[in-house]
Amino acid sequence: MFKVNVNHGHDIAAKGFAVINNVFTANQISEIEKAIKETDCSKSTFRKTDDLFAIRQFLKEVPTACKSIFSSKFTQLIEAIFGSGYFVVKSIYFDKPPQSNWFVAWHQDLTISVAKRKNVAGYGPWTVKQNQFAVQPPLNILKDNFTIRIHLDDADEGNGALKVLPGSHLKSVYRPDSIDWSVESEMICPVMAGGIMIMRPLLMHASNRTVNSKPRKVIHIEFSRIELDGGLTWSEQMEMRNFAGS
C-alpha cells in the first residue's frame, strides 16, 4: 500500500494545494507521451496552434494513456488523501511549447463541464466552448472537488509553473479585481517531471509566459464524488477502477 505524507492533506486543507514529486516514473511518462503522439489530432476536441496544443476530454480521446496514468500508486495516493468514492469528471492535456508567450490571468475554476444544458436552480451562469457546456454549480460542489495536474516536464517560474494565493480557496468566490495585495502573497509552485500538483478549484491561480525556452506539458484531471441535481450529468464521468493501472 502506498504511504502518503499526512502533511499533503493538511496543506490542501489549509493552503488549497500540495505538490508531490516522484509519483510517475520516466518510463510511465514516456508511455503517456507515446500514446499522445500516436493519437489522431484531427478531431474537434484537439486544438493546435503555434503556442498551444490542447486535447479536451483527454482520457476519452487518448485511452491508451489511461493505464499509465491510473497506476496503483496514483489511485492509492488519491484515496489516502481524499478517501473513496471520487470519479473523474473532466480531463485536459496542455502542451505549452518553448516559443509560447501566452499567460493565464488570476482566476478560480468556477465552472464544471456537463453533458447537456438544463435550467436547474443553483446552477449558472452557463458558457459553451467547442460544443462543451460549462456551468457554475453550487459552492458545495466546488469546495468538495479537486484537481490533479500531472507534469510531464519540469515546470518552474521560467516556463509557466502555476502561481497561487495560498488559502484563497477558503474565501469562496473571490474576484480577481478584489484581491487585496496588501495581505495576499503569491507563491510559485515548481513541479518536477513525474510530479503532481493537487489543488482545490477555488484556489486563486495564474500562470506567466514562458521565458526560458523549455516546454511545459500537463495533464489536468478533475475529480468529484457528487451526483448533480435536476438531471444534469457530468460530461466525462469515469470510474478510476475501470482503468486498472499497475
Side-chain angles (χ1 to χ4, degrees):
M1 179 71 177
F2 176 71
K3 299 293 184 181
V4 67
N5 188 327
V6 294
N7 290 331
H8 296 321
H10 295 158
D11 285 345
I12 295 166
K15 299 178 181 179
F17 72 96
V19 172
I20 308 175
N21 285 309
N22 302 311
V23 175
F24 294 91
T25 65
N27 184 57
Q28 287 171 320
I29 292 173
S30 294
E31 291 174 346
I32 294 169
E33 291 180 330
K34 181 175 181 289
I36 294 169
K37 290 177 181 177
E38 293 177 348
T39 300
D40 177 10
C41 300
S42 63
K43 298 180 181 180
S44 61
T45 47
F46 290 70
R47 176 187 170 194
K48 193 165 187 177
T49 64
D50 289 340
D51 61 359
L52 175 66
F53 176 36
I55 306 173
R56 294 184 178 275
Q57 300 189 23
F58 174 76
L59 297 176
K60 288 184 178 180
E61 299 293 359
V62 193
T64 50
C66 293
K67 187 173 182 180
S68 297
I69 292 171
F70 289 92
S71 65
S72 57
K73 180 176 182 179
F74 183 62
T75 54
Q76 287 170 13
L77 184 152
I78 291 172
E79 186 163 344
I81 294 176
F82 296 102
S84 60
Y86 281 90
F87 44 83
V88 172
V89 294
K90 185 176 181 179
S91 59
I92 311 175
Y93 168 77
F94 293 106
D95 180 353
K96 193 174 185 179
Q99 69 270 25
S100 176
N101 63 359
W102 57 274
F103 70 97
V104 179
W106 288 106
H107 69 287
Q108 297 171 299
D109 293 336
L110 294 176
T111 64
I112 58 173
S113 295
V114 297
K116 294 182 180 179
R117 176 168 181 165
K118 294 187 176 183
N119 293 324
V120 178
Y123 290 77
W126 287 82
T127 60
V128 60
K129 182 185 292 185
Q130 292 182 306
N131 299 316
Q132 174 64 72
F133 290 103
V135 64
Q136 185 171 328
L139 275 177
N140 68 295
I141 295 176
L142 295 176
K143 289 179 177 180
D144 194 62
N145 287 5
F146 64 91
T147 296
I148 296 184
R149 294 165 56 87
I150 302 169
H151 283 253
L152 306 183
D153 300 299
D154 293 337
D156 56 29
E157 187 174 8
N159 65 335
L162 283 191
K163 53 184 181 179
V164 304
L165 300 185
S168 53
H169 68 300
L170 300 174
K171 299 181 180 182
S172 296
V173 176
Y174 190 18
R175 301 299 180 186
D177 57 6
S178 68
I179 296 174
D180 184 350
W181 290 108
S182 68
V183 298
E184 299 286 7
S185 180
E186 71 176 50
M187 178 182 293
I188 302 291
C189 301
V191 186
M192 296 169 54
I196 65 174
M197 180 175 177
I198 305 174
M199 57 187 286
R200 291 295 190 182
L202 292 173
L203 178 71
M204 187 72 77
H205 57 286
S207 176
N208 290 335
R209 293 179 171 89
T210 297
V211 296
N212 62 6
S213 298
K214 294 182 179 179
R216 193 201 70 184
K217 298 189 292 294
V218 176
I219 298 169
H220 169 115
I221 306 176
E222 298 178 14
F223 297 83
S224 185
R225 58 181 170 183
I226 298 176
E227 297 296 338
L228 302 177
D229 302 302
L232 290 171
T233 57
W234 299 99
S235 64
E236 295 179 58
Q237 184 167 341
M238 301 180 184
E239 299 293 339
M240 288 185 284
R241 63 175 177 269
N242 295 340
F243 301 122
S246 58

